[in-house]
Amino acid sequence: LAGVTRERFLRHIYPRRKPVVLTGLELGTCTTKWTVDYLSQAEGSKEVKIHVSTVPQMDFLSKNFVYRTLPFDIFVRRAAEINHQEYFLSEDEKYYLRSVGEDARKDIADIRKQFPVLAKDVQIPEYFEKEQFFSSVFRISSAGLQLWTHYDVMDNFLIQVTGRKRVVLYSPRDAPYLYLSGTKSEVLDVDNPDMEKYPLFVKAKRYQCFLEAGDVLFIPALWFHNVISEEFGVALNVFWKHLPAESYDKTDTYGNKDPMAASRAIQILDRALKTLEELPEEYRDFYARRMVLRIQEKAYRNDYG
């Protein structure tokens, strides 16, 4: 959708809770200024922690990547190359920066604090109230790198500043088909999934979009997304709180810990399942099925596609 105003977004798009690509928004000078040369000079040689991977599909569950530290200027130049003179693992390794707070365990990512020079070039579309703001995550990715399918518990804008990305999305409703481990899907290759290992994945309805430089993708909380950088690119994620502030885990610095009530409910369910183990298998099966029916009756929605 081109040139969507804040009012139109909040009135007509936001309440639908569906992903949408916004084009033609005023994002500041970053879209023209952020060349490799400018980026590498702007923030100097401060150290950044990065993911380094020898394969395009990064897997957070098996951890098929390593964390390394590089001066920011060297990192930018390396991420923009296809083959490297200097490298950690292999000459065609790929790099990924997801900015974090000063203390990653306690501080949230905020481009204004971690990259103050670059932050001046960005005009973030503030289609939310100031007090709802959670984080602004600066991201740089090598060409060809694919980020695992996952969901976040907060709404966010993925602002593609330079480069091109492909984003594949799945509705929260399709969670039963995505083989979840926490917030992440075990299905790495969403284009050619292993159907013997993941037979239900075919039932998940796939949505896809391509983000060009200057595009902004609205990703509602709980929508699964898988991102591939088709070119070297720079992006900025802005997360904000859709629920009241007290709903979220205070120790969450990444925006991916389930809301407090959801965490409590899952703990209670785990206790219930442990209690069922006191029964023989035939009874356990019967009462587990009854519990599933109760959950369906009480909690499932049937009014969105």
Side-chain angles (χ1 to χ4, degrees), residues 9 19 42 53 71 89 94 97 230-231 251 254 261 265:
F9 177 78
S53 177
L89 306 171
K94 299 184 183 304
L97 166 71
E230 300 211 322
E231 304 166 342
T251 66
Y254 288 92

Side-chain angles (χ1 to χ4, degrees), residues 20-28 30-31 34 111 121-128 133 135-140 156-165 167 211-219 227 233-240:
V20 65
V21 178
L22 308 173
T23 61
L25 298 188
E26 183 47 63
L27 301 174
C30 56
T31 50
W34 284 8
I111 191 174
D121 301 335
V122 186
Q123 191 176 312
I124 291 171
E126 292 190 0
Y127 288 16
F128 48 89
F133 171 82
S135 66
S136 50
V137 180
F138 185 55
R139 299 181 190 270
I140 296 182
N156 79 85
F157 279 149
L158 173 54
I159 302 164
Q160 190 63 25
V161 181
T162 70
R164 188 174 196 255
K165 275 197 177 86
V167 186
L211 300 181
E212 306 290 345
D215 290 349
V216 177
L217 172 62
F218 167 53
I219 308 176
V227 182
V234 184
L236 183 65
N237 258 139
V238 184
F239 291 88
W240 70 91

Side-chain angles (χ1 to χ4, degrees), residues 53 55-59 64 144-148 188-191:
S53 177
V55 293
Q57 283 166 340
M58 282 204 301
D59 179 3
N64 65 349
L145 194 70
Q146 188 165 8
L147 203 55
W148 53 86
L188 281 192
D189 192 342
V190 294
D191 300 304

Side-chain angles (χ1 to χ4, degrees), residues 11 29-30 36 40 64-65 84 98 108 113 120 150 159-160 165 174 180 193 201 246 253 302:
R11 185 172 291 184
T29 56
C30 56
V36 172
S40 58
N64 65 349
F65 53 84
H84 316 293
R98 184 238 189 254
I108 56 150
K113 292 177 183 167
K120 293 190 181 84
H150 68 284
I159 302 164
Q160 190 63 25
K165 275 197 177 86
D174 283 343
L180 296 185
F201 185 70
E246 63 274 14
T253 55
N302 58 8

Side-chain angles (χ1 to χ4, degrees), residues 86-135:
E86 292 181 39
Y87 50 85
F88 296 108
L89 306 171
S90 67
E91 63 179 28
D92 61 349
E93 66 193 15
K94 299 184 183 304
Y95 299 92
Y96 173 62
L97 166 71
R98 184 238 189 254
S99 65
V100 293
E102 304 313 312
D103 180 338
R105 287 186 302 274
K106 292 190 300 207
D107 303 325
I108 56 150
D110 186 341
I111 191 174
R112 294 167 297 190
K113 292 177 183 167
Q114 285 98 46
F115 299 93
V117 179
L118 295 174
K120 293 190 181 84
D121 301 335
V122 186
Q123 191 176 312
I124 291 171
E126 292 190 0
Y127 288 16
F128 48 89
E129 299 302 322
K130 284 256 190 292
E131 60 274 15
Q132 288 179 284
F133 171 82
F134 176 70
S135 66

